[in-house]
Amino acid sequence: MKPGPIWHPFTQHALFPQMRAITSASGAWLTDAKGTRVFDAISSWWVVTHGHCHPHIVQAIRDQAGRLDQVIFAGHTHEPAERFAEQLMTHLPDALARIFFSDSGSTAVEVALKMALGHFRHRGETRHRIVVMEHGYHGDTVGTMSAGERGAFTQPYDPLLYAVDRIPFPAPGREQDTLDALEAVARKPETAALLIEPLALGAGGMLFYPPALLAEMAAICARHGVLLIADEVMTGWGRTGRFLACDHAGVVPDILCLSKGITGGHLPLAVTLCREEIFQSHWSTDRRRTFFHSSSYTANPIACAAGVANLELWAREPVQARIEAVAAVQTEGLARLQAHPKITGARQLGTILAAEIGAGGYLSDLGPGLLRFFTGRNLLIRPLGNTVYLLPPYCSTRTELRACHDAILEAADALG
Ligand SMILES: *Cc1c(COP(=O)(O)O)cnc(C)c1O
């Protein structure tokens, strides 16, 4: 399509002036303006779960749009939000008693950070420092960038970013360093919360760590009165094989952030859940203790209706069986990637498969070349530098996923 006035996200227009225009989507496939079908191997940036334009979710959106489009959520409520809250909570630990709506993963994390700091402030405690993990990613707003890995992406904005404490990523053999670092910082009286992506660091390079380590980190936080904030924006909704990544470790976080798969990938919506104590520390006749957060479209009824329809699919369709089927095919792919001499670090977590091709970092020259290679094969696979990963919709078939594995092996073969 001809370059227009639109400034696209994460796009260097000097290098990629041409956008692919997509006109429709169905299941795991996109169709572009020329009628070419593209396999959506990354679920359109990790949001699509059941497949694009799922008829049940589309119908729910249609019905809700004609009934109640939008209403202020302060002092008001509506059935789609109430039903969504009630049904979501049946999938979550009972301890997560309160739910706050917003509209993106970044805002869900911002809300979590404000809940944590408000909680301690209103209890008269001075805790205010946030602990995060090396290579973490929590969004692109100023507050979430502060908590994420710093680098080329954040450098121009550094003067605006607040200081956080960082613990090392628990790479194999370095697990004890991570736990020791957490133990040391958790002891400090100013430490408020550990903000973490459970089991899988997505944008940081699809890096995985084991459930036992998450459980140990949760135990350290609990021992020192530090809140555990689980950013399950990517890992939630079955991506890792369980509903939450925390479920693999039997961990119940104090605050939980969900977005991406929340409407099956159909509309923007997010929620932040917390324990009753955090709500209670804000509960007061003193208006200064109000949780001062909102966005214009908080709990938009149409988005909530899409969320309800998504939860209905979880109840009535074999979603878990599909997740397991995708995971099984990814395990076959894993073995094939592991056997290739130019592929390193092949790893799998549930439906996600990742590996490094050749050498280099995020801004290595390999990334754009790989992107072109996969684009040429009509596969939407968007490498993070030389890290190639598949994070497909749960309706993906064995044939479709094998074609992706084949393409990754071919890309590795093509390296001189
Ligand atoms: C994508 C993502 C976010 C940000 O979500 P947006 O909806 O893009 O704002 C936050 N945390 C994690 C772990 C993510 O993967």
Side-chain angles (χ1 to χ4, degrees), residues 45-47 103-109 136-141 144 195-198 200-203 206 231-235 257 259-260 268-270:
W45 253 350
W46 318 348
V47 298
D103 40 31
S104 73
S106 304
T107 53
V109 174
Y137 175 82
H138 301 286
D140 288 329
T141 56
T144 57
L195 165 63
I196 201 162
E197 296 163 87
L201 279 62
M206 288 297 159
D231 176 356
E232 295 238 19
V233 170
M234 181 190 80
T235 51
C257 307
S259 187
K260 292 198 167 124
L269 185 69

Side-chain angles (χ1 to χ4, degrees), residues 162-182:
Y162 58 80
V164 295
D165 293 299
R166 292 177 197 276
I167 58 172
F169 175 76
R174 275 181 72 196
E175 292 92 346
Q176 197 55 46
D177 295 352
T178 302
L179 296 175
D180 292 347
L182 180 59

